[in-house]
Amino acid sequence: MNAPAETVSSGFRRRLLALTRKEVRQLLRDRSNLMMGIALPIVLILIFGYGMSFDVKNSLVAVVMEDHSPTAIDAIAGLPLSPYFSPVMVASMHDAQLLMQQDQIDGIVRIPPDFSRALAFGSARIEVVVQALDANRARTVEGYLQGALEQRVVVQIDRAGGHLSQAGPRVGSVTIEPRMWFNAANNSSWFLVPGLIVMIMTLVGAFLTSLVMAREWERGTLEALFVTPVRPMEILLAKMIPYFAVGMVGLILCLLAAAFLFHVPMYGSLLIILLCSVLYLFVALGIGLLISSVTKNQFAASQLALLSSFMPAMILSGFLFDLRNVPAVVRWIGQVLPATYFMELLKSLFLAGDLWPMIFKNCAILLLYAVLLMAATRAVTRKRIA
């Protein structure tokens, strides 16, 4: 009774092992794919990790001192001590405005001539003008300036450019003590690097495997396989296994770079991170195989893989932009992408820890995507056989 089942199982293992060996040898012969799978993750994480940052550091700020009293000098003493600013002393407000018009400075701090006397009566003002061509950077510079100035003196800051004045003095003995959860260093690398791992796994998984089946169709070798006893699922698994190994090597290299180059903390379990990454890598490989099976052309497959996986994942998964701030239609499209759920998983696992309800929910969604993609790829391949 069990002999036929054992024979089928033995034949499946034998055929799968033979096909996998063929794919491994082909991968080793094609050094470009191997280098893309291993070297590309390191190149991308170095370029994006060091080249992309939302932090504002060494921002040039012109300081106009119209009051040279010790009290006024003490009011701006925190600026040179801050890593976010490089203050430049200028003679007049006119000179500072010229520098801003020439895009040589990011902001102006003006100490009015009556600052010391007004401070003695409790109503001193410091004018802060921020260049707002880049609105996000302007808000960051403004916030840092306000914090640096308020460390030295209780002030009221006037925002330039038609904004309303905002009172800044503390009332009585009340002191605000801000704390930052999940990113205590206020370092954008902690936020970006987990997202970069998602982008790299999407690119490596979907892009590399999108070329696999299409290459077989172009070379005519797939038709030769179709006349053998091998089954469609065996072909697909044999295509996935070598690239899964390459993707895992790239993931490990990215995790090492995150820990030792960018010093991103890992509050969640490393085992959970690896398991979630394995699940998403199957999804990315499934996307690539499905694209490759449908297109039959390497160029078309590579372009479609970039347009349907990498680019949407970069823009609509929450990597760069908060999806809560975009129109509802765009937010719904983002919720369809598998990368959105893996992005949420990795960032939470790195910076917040093991949040089990979120882990179970997102892993279940990724598992569903992996099953559906594999079923769709198998169905497409079976149609081609017929």
Side-chain angles (χ1 to χ4, degrees), residues 90-369:
V90 296
S92 66
M93 192 66 179
H94 176 72
D95 294 339
Q97 290 174 354
L98 288 178
L99 291 175
M100 181 170 286
Q101 290 172 357
Q102 297 169 6
D103 197 21
Q104 296 185 23
I105 59 174
D106 296 313
I108 302 171
V109 176
R110 175 177 173 264
I111 306 295
D114 61 343
F115 175 79
S116 300
R117 181 172 59 83
L119 183 62
F121 291 97
S123 61
R125 300 163 68 88
I126 295 178
E127 183 180 358
V128 173
V129 182
V130 179
Q131 185 194 84
L133 293 176
D134 185 340
N136 290 327
R137 180 178 177 86
R139 282 192 292 267
T140 303
V141 170
E142 181 188 36
Y144 287 168
L145 277 173
Q146 183 169 351
L149 294 171
E150 287 183 347
Q151 287 179 356
R152 310 297 301 183
V153 65
V154 177
V155 297
Q156 182 177 355
I157 296 180
D158 285 341
R159 291 186 176 89
H163 293 277
L164 295 175
S165 297
Q166 175 177 328
R170 290 164 292 188
V171 180
S173 60
V174 177
T175 302
I176 298 175
E177 296 182 355
R179 295 179 59 188
M180 294 187 179
W181 283 22
F182 312 130
N183 192 344
N186 193 23
N187 189 336
S188 64
S189 293
W190 290 16
F191 170 80
L192 289 173
V193 170
L196 285 174
I197 296 176
V198 179
M199 295 296 102
I200 290 169
M201 291 187 65
T202 303
L203 180 62
V204 172
F207 183 77
L208 287 183
T209 53
S210 69
L211 305 176
V212 174
M213 295 288 285
R215 181 175 57 228
E216 299 284 3
W217 281 111
E218 287 184 346
R219 295 177 179 176
T221 55
L222 204 56
E223 288 87 344
L225 285 175
F226 288 165
V227 299
T228 67
V230 298
R231 297 179 173 88
M233 183 55 69
E234 295 166 355
I235 296 176
L236 296 176
L237 290 176
K239 299 293 183 184
M240 291 182 67
I241 290 173
Y243 291 96
F244 174 81
V246 171
M248 290 304 298
V249 171
L251 170 66
I252 292 172
L253 293 176
C254 288
L255 292 177
L256 291 174
F260 297 106
L261 293 181
F262 301 103
H263 308 290
V264 180
M266 189 183 297
Y267 295 115
S269 168
L270 176 60
L271 179 60
I272 299 299
I273 291 176
L274 290 175
L275 291 177
C276 295
S277 301
V278 166
L279 196 55
Y280 181 72
L281 186 56
F282 275 118
V283 174
L285 292 170
I287 294 173
L289 279 178
L290 180 60
I291 292 173
S292 184
S293 299
V294 170
T295 58
K296 292 187 178 182
N297 179 273
Q298 290 190 74
F299 177 77
S302 63
Q303 298 302 306
L304 187 58
L306 290 176
L307 292 176
S308 63
S309 60
F310 181 73
M311 294 301 294
M314 174 172 284
I315 299 173
L316 301 177
S317 67
F319 172 52
L320 295 177
F321 312 108
D322 189 346
L323 294 180
R324 293 170 296 183
N325 299 328
V326 300
V329 175
V330 178
R331 186 164 60 249
W332 294 336
I333 295 174
Q335 294 300 321
V336 175
L337 300 176
T340 301
Y341 302 98
F342 187 48
M343 186 79 66
E344 184 180 8
L345 269 172
L346 265 197
K347 289 183 177 180
S348 298
L349 287 169
F350 266 93
L351 302 178
D354 298 329
L355 307 177
W356 291 107
M358 184 270 299
I359 292 174
F360 289 140
K361 182 197 75 171
N362 288 8
C363 284
I365 294 173
L366 291 178
L367 179 60
L368 178 62
Y369 271 111

Side-chain angles (χ1 to χ4, degrees), residues 30-99:
D30 190 355
R31 300 295 178 86
S32 60
N33 281 353
L34 188 62
M35 291 299 296
M36 185 177 296
I38 296 177
L40 184 62
I42 294 298
V43 172
L44 289 178
I45 201 168
L46 290 177
I47 291 176
F48 283 100
Y50 286 114
M52 180 184 294
S53 175
F54 297 145
D55 298 330
V56 176
K57 293 185 178 180
N58 300 318
S59 179
L60 289 174
V61 175
V63 179
V64 182
M65 295 293 297
E66 297 177 354
D67 183 348
H68 297 279
S69 66
T71 303
I73 294 174
D74 184 67
I76 56 120
L79 295 181
L81 303 177
S82 171
Y84 304 113
F85 301 113
S86 296
V88 178
M89 305 301 295
V90 296
S92 66
M93 192 66 179
H94 176 72
D95 294 339
Q97 290 174 354
L98 288 178
L99 291 175

